[in-house]
Every structure is written in structure tokens, then in C-alpha cells.
Amino acid sequence: MRLIIQENYSALSKWAACYVASKIRKANPSPAKPFVLGLPTGSSPLGMYQELIELYKAGSISFENIITFNMDEYVGLPENHPQSYHSFMWENFFSHINIRPENVHILNGNAPDLNAECEQYEADIHAAGGIDLFIGGVGADGHIAFNEPGSSLHSATRIKTLTTDTIILNSRFFDNDVNQVPQTALTVGVGTVMYAKEVLIIVNGHNKAQALAQGVEGAISQKWTITALQLHPKAIIVCDEPACDELSVGTYRYFKDIEKNNLDYKNLL
């Protein structure tokens, strides 16, 4: 595992965007051989998406031959609802770049057979050749996607009941009314993320400090699904300084030392 520590959220977002852009440019995707991205929603990736949009506008990157698979979607929320993850992705990213709509994959939380929808999603990922780079955020309780504490570390895409803590946290997007927040969601599994060729997780803010410490220093446990990344051969966590508040001094200094030549996002392009 690599841990990239940036000074603040702005620097974190630039580093993540430039890393994604560098992987795409190196792959030189084509219609016959597209590059496959796994993408998150939430507040953590917003800065990265904005930086990627700017790189696209500057002509530094193209999304024409990119295929995307999003991590999750609420069950029962109309696609055009302002808080659906369909709306989130098109409003904050897809509508600002040259991605082909047919290359965008987001779980359908209104499918007539939700289990079949999840199985088909896994099949579609496999048919695309697997995910080259899966990007994600993390919850304060260490969950990735909607894989709440207790989720199997080998889980595939499935229906998940959201915890009370997650519902309360997400109610800020629903007029602070927990009754408006869907109780269930469709989500890729921890195993789905782990099968990606490479994983990049964004961790920002003091409220994520315990999750980061568990992910880097803690024992591998389904109580903190981020810890599964310790088993991935190519896992990167990029974080800001406030997220490091719970790391031991030794761990902090170790990663600062070994990654000191990799911290400047400008070196990625």
C-alpha cells in the first residue's frame, strides 16, 4: 500500500486528478482497448472531478475511450432526483467532459429485479475487461462504497441496508430529514473493488482520521472495510494532513519519507 500525504484538500484533489490523468494517458485508450474507471460519489471526489474537468478543457486528457462503472446508487430514488447518484455524476462530472453516454454505467436502483441488476453489473464489469483503476472515498466508520461495517471482504455487487449512522450523515443532502433518505442501496462489493487492477482511495478531513489509521495501521477486519486494501497489490490512499491526526508518528514519517519524491502532482503529467 502507498500513502500519499498532501497538505490540504486542494492539493489532494490535484494529485488524485493528475494521477488518474497519467494512468489514462499511459494506457492510450482506443475504441478497441478502452480504459475502465470505477468512480465514487460524495463530497470527497468533487475536487478531483473539477481538476479532471480542467485538464480536459486544457486538452491534456480525453474521456472519449473511457468506460466507467460507479460504485453505488440508492434504491427507489428516481434517476432524475437531485440526490440520486445518476444526477450527481452528470451534474458534477460527465456533462463537462467528452465521455460517451453509452460508456457510463450506474446501477439502476429502480430495476424490477434488483438482484438481477447486481448480477448483470458484475457481468458487465467482467465483459469490459475488468476495472483498470477503481477510485473511491471512505466513510468515517471506514466503509468503502456502501459496504458498511460487517460487510464481507469478498462481497460482490448487491443490495445493502444502510446503517442508522449513514442515514443520519446523508440526511444533510435531504433537507436534514432522515425520513427522506433511502434505507437501502445497490453497491459494488469489497471484492468488486479488490478485483480492480489498481485502487485509489481519497481520504480527507479530521473526521476520517480514525478510518485512515485503521486502514493503514489496523488489523484486516470486516468492521473496517477499508482495511481490505492492505491485501491489494496496487492500492494507493491519498489524504490530507487533517486525516493523518490518528496515525502514529512513526507511520506518518515513514510514508512522508518514502513518498517524498512522489508528492508533487506536476510530476505525474
Side-chain angles (χ1 to χ4, degrees):
M1 177 188 291
R2 295 176 60 190
L3 179 64
I4 305 294
I5 302 170
Q6 294 289 307
E7 180 180 1
N8 52 42
Y9 179 69
S10 177
L12 173 162
S13 298
K14 288 181 179 179
W15 193 95
C18 289
Y19 187 80
V20 173
S22 70
K23 299 298 292 187
I24 293 173
R25 291 170 64 174
K26 184 177 181 180
N28 192 24
S30 65
K33 190 179 180 182
F35 190 84
V36 184
L37 279 175
L39 296 177
T41 54
S43 57
S44 294
L46 280 173
M48 178 194 69
Y49 287 146
Q50 187 57 51
E51 294 292 338
L52 285 170
I53 291 167
E54 294 304 316
L55 288 171
Y56 162 70
K57 290 180 177 178
S60 297
I61 186 175
S62 171
F63 294 89
E64 185 176 7
N65 296 311
I66 302 298
I67 294 176
T68 66
F69 288 89
N70 261 77
M71 278 189 154
D72 39 32
E73 179 58 286
Y74 289 116
V75 168
L77 209 62
E79 287 188 6
N80 61 358
H81 189 284
Q83 297 305 327
S84 78
Y85 292 156
H86 281 76
S87 294
F88 178 98
M89 291 305 301
W90 284 101
E91 179 180 347
N92 292 294
F93 190 39
F94 293 147
S95 64
H96 305 282
I97 59 175
N98 64 330
I99 195 164
R100 299 176 185 272
E102 63 269 26
N103 285 346
V104 171
H105 299 81
I106 304 177
L107 284 155
N108 180 6
N110 296 288
D113 186 334
L114 294 177
N115 287 314
E117 171 70 9
C118 294
E119 292 174 4
Q120 186 60 52
Y121 206 68
E122 289 282 338
D124 290 343
I125 291 173
H126 179 75
I131 291 174
D132 294 301
L133 175 60
F134 218 135
I135 307 162
V138 65
D141 60 2
H143 74 260
I144 51 178
F146 273 130
N147 294 287
E148 307 280 19
S151 297
S152 168
L153 301 185
H154 295 285
S155 53
T157 303
R158 67 208 186 286
I159 308 167
K160 281 292 292 181
T161 300
L162 306 185
T163 66
T164 299
D165 286 345
T166 295
I167 291 171
I168 292 173
L169 181 64
N170 287 1
S171 68
R172 69 190 190 276
F173 302 118
F174 292 84
D175 299 324
N176 292 312
D177 182 358
V178 294
N179 295 314
Q180 293 186 38
V181 184
Q183 306 291 302
T184 54
L186 303 184
T187 181
V188 297
V190 181
T192 313
V193 176
M194 291 291 287
Y195 292 143
K197 299 178 182 70
E198 191 169 358
V199 181
L200 173 64
I201 299 295
I202 298 169
V203 186
N204 63 290
H206 173 74
N207 65 317
K208 306 290 180 69
Q210 190 176 9
L212 178 64
Q214 288 290 333
V216 176
E217 299 177 330
I220 297 169
S221 169
Q222 62 184 12
K223 293 177 67 176
W224 297 85
T225 53
I226 189 177
T227 60
L229 296 178
Q230 296 176 26
L231 299 174
H232 197 287
K234 290 187 177 181
I236 301 175
I237 297 176
V238 57
C239 66
D240 59 11
E241 290 283 354
C244 296
D245 288 350
E246 296 292 332
L247 289 177
S248 68
V249 173
T251 296
Y252 177 86
R253 289 178 175 173
Y254 169 77
F255 282 107
K256 273 286 198 178
D257 179 50
I258 65 170
E259 296 286 358
K260 61 180 178 291
N261 296 321
N262 300 317
L263 297 178
D264 189 352
Y265 63 88
K266 296 177 183 176
N267 294 332
L268 297 171
L269 294 176

